[in-house]
Amino acid sequence: MLEKINQLKQSAMASLSEVKTQKELAELKVRFLGKTGEVTNLLKGLKDVPKESRAEVGKLVNDLRQELEPAFNEVESRLAAAELLVRYENEAIDVTMPGKKPARGTLHPLTQIKNEIISVFEGMGFEIFEGPEIDTDYYTFQALNIPKDHPARDMQDTFYITENILLRPHTSPGQIRCTETHKPPVKVLSPGKVYRSDDDATHSPMFQQVEGLVIDKNITLCDLKGALDEFACKIFGNDTKTRFRPSYFPFTEPSVEVDVSCYKCKGAGCNLCKGSGWIEVLGAGMVHRNVIENCGLDPNEYSGFAFGVGVERIAMLKYGIPNMKMLFENDVRFLKEFDK
Ligand code: PHE
Protein backbone atom coordinates (compact mmCIF):
# COMPACT_ATOMS: atom_id res chain seq x y z
CA MET A 1 0.00 0.00 0.00
CA LEU A 2 2.79 2.39 0.91
CA GLU A 3 4.37 1.55 -2.41
CA LYS A 4 1.14 2.41 -4.19
CA ILE A 5 0.86 5.79 -2.45
CA ASN A 6 4.40 6.67 -3.47
CA GLN A 7 3.86 5.60 -7.06
CA LEU A 8 0.68 7.60 -7.29
CA LYS A 9 2.44 10.65 -5.93
CA GLN A 10 5.23 10.35 -8.43
CA SER A 11 2.99 9.73 -11.40
CA ALA A 12 0.75 12.66 -10.42
CA MET A 13 3.75 14.99 -10.09
CA ALA A 14 5.21 13.77 -13.38
CA SER A 15 1.93 14.30 -15.23
CA LEU A 16 1.56 17.72 -13.64
CA SER A 17 4.96 18.81 -14.83
CA GLU A 18 4.02 17.95 -18.40
CA VAL A 19 0.58 19.49 -18.54
CA LYS A 20 0.31 22.33 -21.10
CA THR A 21 -3.29 23.60 -21.09
CA GLN A 22 -6.01 24.27 -18.55
CA LYS A 23 -8.10 21.64 -20.29
CA GLU A 24 -5.43 18.96 -19.83
CA LEU A 25 -5.05 20.04 -16.22
CA ALA A 26 -8.77 19.67 -15.55
CA GLU A 27 -8.69 16.15 -16.98
CA LEU A 28 -5.72 15.33 -14.82
CA LYS A 29 -7.47 16.68 -11.74
CA VAL A 30 -10.43 14.42 -12.36
CA ARG A 31 -8.13 11.51 -12.90
CA PHE A 32 -6.28 11.93 -9.59
CA LEU A 33 -8.47 13.94 -7.24
CA GLY A 34 -11.95 13.36 -8.68
CA LYS A 35 -14.74 11.45 -6.92
CA THR A 36 -13.76 8.27 -8.70
CA GLY A 37 -10.15 9.37 -9.09
CA GLU A 38 -7.05 7.46 -8.09
CA VAL A 39 -6.62 9.01 -4.64
CA THR A 40 -10.23 8.24 -3.73
CA ASN A 41 -9.65 4.71 -5.03
CA LEU A 42 -6.75 4.38 -2.60
CA LEU A 43 -9.07 5.30 0.26
CA LYS A 44 -11.49 2.67 -0.91
CA GLY A 45 -8.62 0.11 -0.79
CA LEU A 46 -8.11 0.86 2.91
CA LYS A 47 -10.52 -1.88 3.87
CA ASP A 48 -7.91 -4.44 2.73
CA VAL A 49 -5.23 -2.92 4.95
CA PRO A 50 -4.71 -4.69 8.25
CA LYS A 51 -6.63 -3.01 11.01
CA GLU A 52 -3.63 -1.96 13.07
CA SER A 53 -1.98 0.04 10.30
CA ARG A 54 -5.21 1.29 8.69
CA ALA A 55 -5.18 4.63 10.55
CA GLU A 56 -1.60 5.29 9.64
CA VAL A 57 -2.07 4.46 5.97
CA GLY A 58 -5.28 6.49 5.89
CA LYS A 59 -3.34 9.47 7.18
CA LEU A 60 -0.74 8.99 4.44
CA VAL A 61 -3.42 8.98 1.75
CA ASN A 62 -4.90 12.17 3.18
CA ASP A 63 -1.45 13.70 3.30
CA LEU A 64 -1.03 12.82 -0.35
CA ARG A 65 -4.31 14.57 -1.21
CA GLN A 66 -3.23 17.59 0.77
CA GLU A 67 0.07 17.67 -1.05
CA LEU A 68 -1.42 17.26 -4.50
CA GLU A 69 -4.14 19.87 -4.18
CA PRO A 70 -1.86 22.92 -3.79
CA ALA A 71 0.41 21.52 -6.53
CA PHE A 72 -2.60 21.39 -8.88
CA ASN A 73 -3.68 24.87 -7.83
CA GLU A 74 -0.28 26.30 -8.49
CA VAL A 75 -0.11 24.85 -11.99
CA GLU A 76 -3.63 26.06 -12.61
CA SER A 77 -2.85 29.68 -11.82
CA ARG A 78 0.35 29.52 -13.85
CA LEU A 79 -1.51 28.18 -16.89
CA ALA A 80 -4.34 30.71 -16.49
CA ALA A 81 -1.85 33.58 -16.44
CA ALA A 82 -0.03 32.25 -19.49
CA GLU A 83 -3.25 31.74 -21.44
CA LEU A 84 -4.45 35.24 -20.58
CA LEU A 85 -1.18 36.63 -21.86
CA VAL A 86 -1.62 34.83 -25.17
CA ARG A 87 -5.19 36.12 -25.43
CA TYR A 88 -4.06 39.67 -24.78
CA GLU A 89 -1.42 39.35 -27.45
CA ASN A 90 -3.90 38.03 -30.00
CA GLU A 91 -6.42 40.72 -29.22
CA ALA A 92 -3.91 43.53 -29.24
CA ILE A 93 -4.81 46.46 -31.53
CA ASP A 94 -2.16 47.98 -33.73
CA VAL A 95 -2.79 51.65 -33.13
CA THR A 96 -0.42 52.56 -35.96
CA MET A 97 -2.66 50.87 -38.58
CA PRO A 98 -4.47 53.32 -40.88
CA GLY A 99 -8.10 53.79 -39.80
CA LYS A 100 -11.19 53.17 -41.91
CA LYS A 101 -12.28 56.39 -43.56
CA PRO A 102 -16.01 57.08 -43.16
CA ALA A 103 -17.63 58.03 -46.47
CA ARG A 104 -17.96 61.82 -46.49
CA GLY A 105 -21.03 63.50 -47.93
CA THR A 106 -20.87 66.48 -50.26
CA LEU A 107 -23.04 69.50 -50.81
CA HIS A 108 -25.76 68.76 -53.35
CA PRO A 109 -24.96 70.27 -56.78
CA LEU A 110 -28.03 72.52 -56.46
CA THR A 111 -26.82 73.80 -53.11
CA GLN A 112 -23.39 74.40 -54.62
CA ILE A 113 -24.84 76.40 -57.52
CA LYS A 114 -27.21 78.30 -55.25
CA ASN A 115 -24.31 79.20 -52.95
CA GLU A 116 -22.26 80.27 -55.98
CA ILE A 117 -25.04 82.52 -57.26
CA ILE A 118 -25.54 83.99 -53.81
CA SER A 119 -21.85 84.68 -53.34
CA VAL A 120 -21.60 86.45 -56.73
CA PHE A 121 -24.35 88.87 -55.75
CA GLU A 122 -23.17 89.19 -52.15
CA GLY A 123 -19.92 90.34 -53.72
CA MET A 124 -21.92 93.16 -55.33
CA GLY A 125 -23.45 94.14 -51.98
CA PHE A 126 -26.78 92.29 -52.12
CA GLU A 127 -28.38 91.18 -48.85
CA ILE A 128 -30.44 88.00 -48.41
CA PHE A 129 -34.17 88.27 -47.83
CA GLU A 130 -36.25 85.09 -47.61
CA GLY A 131 -40.00 85.11 -48.14
CA PRO A 132 -42.51 82.36 -47.27
CA GLU A 133 -43.17 79.39 -49.58
CA ILE A 134 -46.87 79.58 -48.81
CA ASP A 135 -48.07 83.04 -49.72
CA THR A 136 -51.21 84.99 -50.53
CA ASP A 137 -52.76 85.95 -53.84
CA TYR A 138 -51.99 89.58 -53.02
CA TYR A 139 -48.19 89.22 -52.67
CA THR A 140 -47.89 86.64 -55.43
CA PHE A 141 -50.03 88.33 -58.08
CA GLN A 142 -52.00 91.48 -57.28
CA ALA A 143 -49.13 93.53 -55.81
CA LEU A 144 -46.98 92.42 -58.75
CA ASN A 145 -49.36 94.03 -61.22
CA ILE A 146 -51.03 90.73 -62.07
CA PRO A 147 -54.71 91.46 -61.26
CA LYS A 148 -57.28 88.69 -60.95
CA ASP A 149 -58.30 87.40 -64.39
CA HIS A 150 -55.02 88.62 -65.87
CA PRO A 151 -53.90 86.06 -68.47
CA ALA A 152 -50.40 86.12 -66.95
CA ARG A 153 -51.74 83.99 -64.11
CA ASP A 154 -51.87 81.14 -66.59
CA MET A 155 -48.13 81.51 -67.18
CA GLN A 156 -47.58 79.99 -63.76
CA ASP A 157 -49.76 77.00 -63.17
CA THR A 158 -50.17 77.64 -59.52
CA PHE A 159 -51.01 75.18 -56.73
CA TYR A 160 -53.79 76.84 -54.78
CA ILE A 161 -54.44 75.92 -51.15
CA THR A 162 -57.50 78.14 -50.89
CA GLU A 163 -58.71 80.83 -53.26
CA ASN A 164 -56.34 83.30 -51.61
CA ILE A 165 -53.54 81.13 -50.27
CA LEU A 166 -51.14 79.30 -52.55
CA LEU A 167 -47.71 77.75 -52.99
CA ARG A 168 -45.69 80.57 -54.52
CA PRO A 169 -44.96 79.90 -58.21
CA HIS A 170 -42.05 82.39 -58.20
CA THR A 171 -39.88 84.25 -55.70
CA SER A 172 -41.12 87.64 -56.92
CA PRO A 173 -43.52 88.12 -53.94
CA GLY A 174 -40.27 88.74 -52.04
CA GLN A 175 -40.01 92.07 -53.91
CA ILE A 176 -43.13 93.37 -52.19
CA ARG A 177 -42.57 91.72 -48.80
CA CYS A 178 -39.06 93.06 -48.62
CA THR A 179 -39.83 96.67 -49.59
CA GLU A 180 -42.65 96.78 -47.04
CA THR A 181 -40.01 96.77 -44.34
CA HIS A 182 -36.82 98.00 -46.09
CA LYS A 183 -36.53 101.57 -47.31
CA PRO A 184 -34.36 102.39 -50.36
CA PRO A 185 -31.66 101.83 -51.24
CA VAL A 186 -32.93 98.25 -51.53
CA LYS A 187 -30.49 95.64 -52.81
CA VAL A 188 -31.69 92.16 -51.98
CA LEU A 189 -31.44 88.60 -53.16
CA SER A 190 -34.31 86.30 -52.39
CA PRO A 191 -33.51 82.60 -52.88
CA GLY A 192 -36.03 79.84 -52.28
CA LYS A 193 -38.22 76.98 -53.42
CA VAL A 194 -41.11 77.64 -55.78
CA TYR A 195 -43.92 75.38 -56.98
CA ARG A 196 -45.68 74.95 -60.30
CA SER A 197 -47.92 72.31 -61.72
CA ASP A 198 -45.41 71.34 -64.36
CA ASP A 199 -43.44 68.12 -64.83
CA ASP A 200 -41.14 67.00 -67.64
CA ALA A 201 -37.41 66.61 -68.42
CA THR A 202 -36.73 70.32 -67.89
CA HIS A 203 -39.53 71.20 -65.43
CA SER A 204 -40.31 69.99 -61.94
CA PRO A 205 -43.29 70.76 -59.66
CA MET A 206 -40.76 72.09 -57.13
CA PHE A 207 -37.66 74.02 -58.11
CA GLN A 208 -35.56 76.87 -56.83
CA GLN A 209 -35.24 80.46 -57.89
CA VAL A 210 -33.05 83.33 -56.86
CA GLU A 211 -34.78 86.69 -57.14
CA GLY A 212 -32.82 89.90 -57.30
CA LEU A 213 -34.21 93.35 -56.58
CA VAL A 214 -32.58 96.77 -56.58
CA ILE A 215 -34.56 99.95 -55.89
CA ASP A 216 -33.00 103.37 -55.52
CA LYS A 217 -32.89 106.74 -57.22
CA ASN A 218 -31.64 106.70 -60.83
CA ILE A 219 -31.46 102.95 -61.32
CA THR A 220 -31.40 102.16 -65.05
CA LEU A 221 -31.35 99.21 -67.43
CA CYS A 222 -27.56 99.72 -67.58
CA ASP A 223 -27.30 98.81 -63.91
CA LEU A 224 -29.23 95.61 -64.61
CA LYS A 225 -26.96 94.80 -67.55
CA GLY A 226 -23.85 95.44 -65.47
CA ALA A 227 -25.02 93.21 -62.60
CA LEU A 228 -26.00 90.37 -64.94
CA ASP A 229 -22.75 90.65 -66.93
CA GLU A 230 -20.85 90.14 -63.70
CA PHE A 231 -23.11 87.20 -62.78
CA ALA A 232 -22.61 85.53 -66.20
CA CYS A 233 -18.82 85.90 -66.09
CA LYS A 234 -18.56 84.50 -62.56
CA ILE A 235 -20.85 81.52 -63.23
CA PHE A 236 -20.05 80.61 -66.85
CA GLY A 237 -16.52 81.96 -67.28
CA ASN A 238 -14.85 85.32 -67.77
CA ASP A 239 -15.31 85.60 -71.53
CA THR A 240 -19.10 85.13 -71.31
CA LYS A 241 -21.25 87.84 -72.94
CA THR A 242 -24.88 88.64 -72.20
CA ARG A 243 -27.67 89.72 -74.48
CA PHE A 244 -31.09 91.20 -73.70
CA ARG A 245 -34.13 90.24 -75.77
CA PRO A 246 -37.45 92.03 -75.35
CA SER A 247 -39.93 90.02 -73.32
CA TYR A 248 -42.98 90.47 -71.14
CA PHE A 249 -43.59 90.20 -67.42
CA PRO A 250 -46.50 92.14 -65.86
CA PHE A 251 -44.28 93.35 -63.00
CA THR A 252 -41.41 94.73 -65.09
CA GLU A 253 -41.38 97.32 -67.87
CA PRO A 254 -39.43 96.99 -70.04
CA SER A 255 -38.97 93.25 -69.56
CA VAL A 256 -36.12 91.21 -70.96
CA GLU A 257 -35.10 87.62 -71.50
CA VAL A 258 -31.39 87.32 -70.78
CA ASP A 259 -29.14 85.09 -72.89
CA VAL A 260 -25.49 84.24 -72.29
CA SER A 261 -23.04 83.47 -75.08
CA CYS A 262 -22.64 79.71 -75.38
CA TYR A 263 -19.68 78.75 -73.20
CA LYS A 264 -19.28 75.46 -75.09
CA CYS A 265 -18.83 76.78 -78.65
CA LYS A 266 -18.04 80.38 -77.64
CA GLY A 267 -20.88 81.61 -79.83
CA ALA A 268 -20.03 79.65 -82.98
CA GLY A 269 -23.13 77.46 -82.70
CA CYS A 270 -23.32 73.92 -81.34
CA ASN A 271 -25.83 71.35 -80.09
CA LEU A 272 -25.99 72.95 -76.62
CA CYS A 273 -27.08 76.36 -77.94
CA LYS A 274 -28.98 74.72 -80.81
CA GLY A 275 -26.80 76.51 -83.32
CA SER A 276 -27.66 80.02 -82.16
CA GLY A 277 -24.54 80.71 -80.11
CA TRP A 278 -26.73 81.96 -77.24
CA ILE A 279 -28.42 80.26 -74.25
CA GLU A 280 -31.40 81.70 -72.40
CA VAL A 281 -30.73 81.88 -68.66
CA LEU A 282 -33.18 84.17 -66.89
CA GLY A 283 -35.95 86.77 -66.95
CA ALA A 284 -35.52 90.34 -65.79
CA GLY A 285 -36.62 93.93 -66.26
CA MET A 286 -37.13 97.37 -64.77
CA VAL A 287 -39.57 97.24 -61.86
CA HIS A 288 -43.00 98.36 -63.11
CA ARG A 289 -44.26 101.75 -61.87
CA ASN A 290 -47.33 100.07 -60.40
CA VAL A 291 -45.12 97.68 -58.42
CA ILE A 292 -42.96 100.56 -57.15
CA GLU A 293 -46.20 102.16 -55.97
CA ASN A 294 -47.33 98.90 -54.34
CA CYS A 295 -44.04 98.92 -52.46
CA GLY A 296 -45.13 102.25 -50.99
CA LEU A 297 -42.69 104.33 -53.04
CA ASP A 298 -43.08 107.18 -55.52
CA PRO A 299 -42.26 105.89 -59.04
CA ASN A 300 -41.29 109.42 -60.08
CA GLU A 301 -38.58 109.37 -57.46
CA TYR A 302 -37.52 105.73 -57.38
CA SER A 303 -36.76 103.15 -60.03
CA GLY A 304 -35.36 99.67 -59.88
CA PHE A 305 -34.52 96.44 -61.61
CA ALA A 306 -35.47 92.85 -60.84
CA PHE A 307 -34.47 89.45 -62.13
CA GLY A 308 -35.40 85.86 -61.43
CA VAL A 309 -33.06 82.97 -62.12
CA GLY A 310 -33.80 79.24 -61.92
CA VAL A 311 -31.18 77.37 -59.91
CA GLU A 312 -31.88 74.00 -61.56
CA ARG A 313 -31.64 75.56 -65.00
CA ILE A 314 -28.24 77.08 -64.24
CA ALA A 315 -27.00 73.75 -62.80
CA MET A 316 -28.22 71.85 -65.88
CA LEU A 317 -26.59 74.33 -68.23
CA LYS A 318 -23.34 74.59 -66.33
CA TYR A 319 -22.87 70.85 -65.84
CA GLY A 320 -24.58 69.60 -69.00
CA ILE A 321 -27.27 67.68 -67.05
CA PRO A 322 -29.82 66.43 -69.59
CA ASN A 323 -32.73 65.67 -67.25
CA MET A 324 -33.87 67.71 -64.25
CA LYS A 325 -34.96 64.51 -62.49
CA MET A 326 -31.30 63.61 -62.01
CA LEU A 327 -31.05 66.54 -59.62
CA PHE A 328 -33.78 65.10 -57.40
CA GLU A 329 -33.14 61.35 -57.54
CA ASN A 330 -30.04 61.63 -55.35
CA ASP A 331 -28.22 58.74 -56.97
CA VAL A 332 -24.90 58.74 -55.08
CA ARG A 333 -22.93 57.95 -58.26
CA PHE A 334 -24.33 61.16 -59.77
CA LEU A 335 -23.81 63.22 -56.61
CA LYS A 336 -20.19 62.03 -56.30
CA GLU A 337 -19.40 63.79 -59.60
CA PHE A 338 -19.87 67.06 -57.72
CA ASP A 339 -17.46 66.27 -54.89
CA LYS A 340 -15.03 69.16 -55.11
N1 PHE B 1 -40.85 85.80 -61.71
C1 PHE B 1 -40.43 85.54 -63.05
C2 PHE B 1 -40.63 84.05 -63.33
O1 PHE B 1 -40.80 83.31 -62.41
C3 PHE B 1 -38.98 85.87 -63.26
C4 PHE B 1 -38.73 87.34 -63.14
C5 PHE B 1 -38.34 87.87 -61.92
C6 PHE B 1 -38.85 88.17 -64.22
C7 PHE B 1 -38.08 89.24 -61.80
C8 PHE B 1 -38.59 89.52 -64.14
C9 PHE B 1 -38.22 90.04 -62.92
O2 PHE B 1 -40.59 83.63 -64.46
Side-chain angles (χ1 to χ4, degrees), residues 156 169-172 175 196 209 211 249 251-252 283-285 306-308:
Q156 291 123 351
H170 55 177
T171 40
S172 303
Q175 295 185 23
R196 286 182 203 181
Q209 284 188 334
E211 186 92 4
F249 298 101
F251 35 91
T252 46
F307 60 85

Side-chain angles (χ1 to χ4, degrees), residues 75-232:
V75 174
E76 176 156 22
S77 47
R78 186 159 48 78
L79 287 179
E83 278 175 30
L84 198 62
L85 213 65
V86 170
R87 221 184 87 196
Y88 284 164
E89 253 163 46
N90 289 341
E91 287 176 4
I93 293 166
D94 181 355
V95 291
T96 64
M97 289 234 303
K100 277 189 200 153
K101 265 198 185 163
R104 210 188 81 229
T106 63
L107 285 184
H108 192 279
L110 287 178
T111 309
Q112 292 183 23
I113 286 281
K114 188 179 76 182
N115 289 349
E116 258 181 66
I117 297 174
I118 288 176
S119 85
V120 171
F121 285 102
E122 271 181 345
M124 289 186 254
F126 282 71
E127 282 175 62
I128 303 292
F129 174 88
E130 281 179 310
E133 285 172 33
I134 297 175
D135 214 331
T136 62
D137 183 278
Y138 171 76
Y139 285 107
T140 313
F141 295 128
Q142 290 175 56
L144 287 165
N145 203 34
I146 319 175
K148 287 214 192 276
D149 306 325
H150 191 290
R153 290 197 182 198
D154 295 338
M155 277 162 60
Q156 291 123 351
D157 277 324
T158 305
F159 292 113
Y160 284 87
I161 296 169
T162 68
E163 209 189 308
N164 267 319
I165 299 172
L166 42 87
L167 293 179
R168 65 177 178 195
H170 55 177
T171 40
S172 303
Q175 295 185 23
I176 310 295
R177 286 189 169 274
C178 161
T179 35
E180 273 183 348
T181 49
H182 293 53
K183 291 296 143 227
V186 171
K187 206 171 178 187
V188 290
L189 207 61
S190 196
K193 296 189 183 75
V194 298
Y195 302 84
R196 286 182 203 181
S197 177
D198 212 352
D199 199 9
D200 60 36
T202 51
H203 296 88
S204 151
M206 187 283 303
F207 61 105
Q208 298 182 65
Q209 284 188 334
V210 177
E211 186 92 4
L213 175 72
V214 172
I215 298 184
D216 202 356
K217 290 180 178 156
N218 304 319
I219 298 295
T220 71
L221 201 66
C222 287
D223 298 309
L224 173 63
K225 183 91 160 82
L228 293 180
D229 277 350
E230 172 79 1
F231 161 76

Side-chain angles (χ1 to χ4, degrees), residues 212-321:
L213 175 72
V214 172
I215 298 184
D216 202 356
K217 290 180 178 156
N218 304 319
I219 298 295
T220 71
L221 201 66
C222 287
D223 298 309
L224 173 63
K225 183 91 160 82
L228 293 180
D229 277 350
E230 172 79 1
F231 161 76
C233 287
K234 287 273 162 60
I235 298 290
F236 295 109
N238 266 333
D239 48 358
T240 309
K241 295 188 173 44
T242 62
R243 164 175 100 166
F244 282 2
R245 276 181 296 111
S247 184
Y248 173 73
F249 298 101
F251 35 91
T252 46
E253 182 58 35
S255 301
V256 293
E257 215 60 73
V258 181
D259 296 343
V260 295
S261 56
C262 181
Y263 43 86
K264 194 172 164 193
C265 63
K266 307 285 173 218
C270 67
N271 59 341
L272 182 67
C273 57
K274 301 193 183 79
S276 73
W278 295 94
I279 301 171
E280 185 186 318
V281 289
L282 59 92
M286 298 307 292
V287 181
H288 196 289
R289 291 177 63 90
N290 293 355
V291 177
I292 299 261
E293 255 171 29
N294 291 338
C295 295
L297 299 169
D298 177 0
N300 293 324
E301 196 181 347
Y302 290 101
S303 57
F305 69 72
F307 60 85
V309 49
V311 179
E312 283 76 2
R313 180 163 173 76
I314 299 295
M316 288 170 78
L317 288 172
K318 182 161 176 172
Y319 298 125
I321 300 166

Side-chain angles (χ1 to χ4, degrees), residues 19-38:
V19 83
K20 296 242 158 36
T21 65
Q22 294 207 73
K23 191 167 168 259
E24 277 174 37
L25 181 72
E27 283 164 11
L28 217 57
K29 204 167 175 178
V30 172
R31 193 177 124 205
F32 287 103
L33 300 172
K35 267 188 190 145
T36 55
E38 301 205 23

